[in-house]
Amino acid sequence: MSAGGARDRTGTFHPLAEQVAGCTGTPPRALLDHVCEDLLAHATGDTLGDDAAVAAVERPAQP
């Protein structure tokens, strides 16, 4: 997905970077759920006009 991916009714791209910037420490499943819900809420007609792929990786804390 690019910097936005989905557009709203006005043609504005979804602000993906801003949405995930404050999610440090969020478990991957919760982060993916949040991104998907927000993306669909942003998209025109609550559907995506194209495919979307999102991945989240959990990195263990350094000792």
Side-chain angles (χ1 to χ4, degrees), residues 41-63:
H42 179 86
T44 302
D46 291 333
T47 61
L48 300 178
D50 203 347
D51 294 341
V54 181
V57 178
E58 185 172 22
R59 189 172 71 182
Q62 298 295 322

Side-chain angles (χ1 to χ4, degrees), residues 1-61:
M1 185 181 289
S2 67
R7 294 179 192 232
D8 66 8
R9 287 174 176 35
T10 67
T12 303
F13 280 110
H14 177 266
L16 180 62
E18 291 85 358
Q19 288 295 317
V20 299
C23 293
T24 303
T26 303
R29 182 75 239 172
L31 177 61
L32 292 174
D33 289 344
H34 169 73
V35 168
C36 288
E37 289 170 11
D38 192 64
L39 184 62
L40 287 171
H42 179 86
T44 302
D46 291 333
T47 61
L48 300 178
D50 203 347
D51 294 341
V54 181
V57 178
E58 185 172 22
R59 189 172 71 182

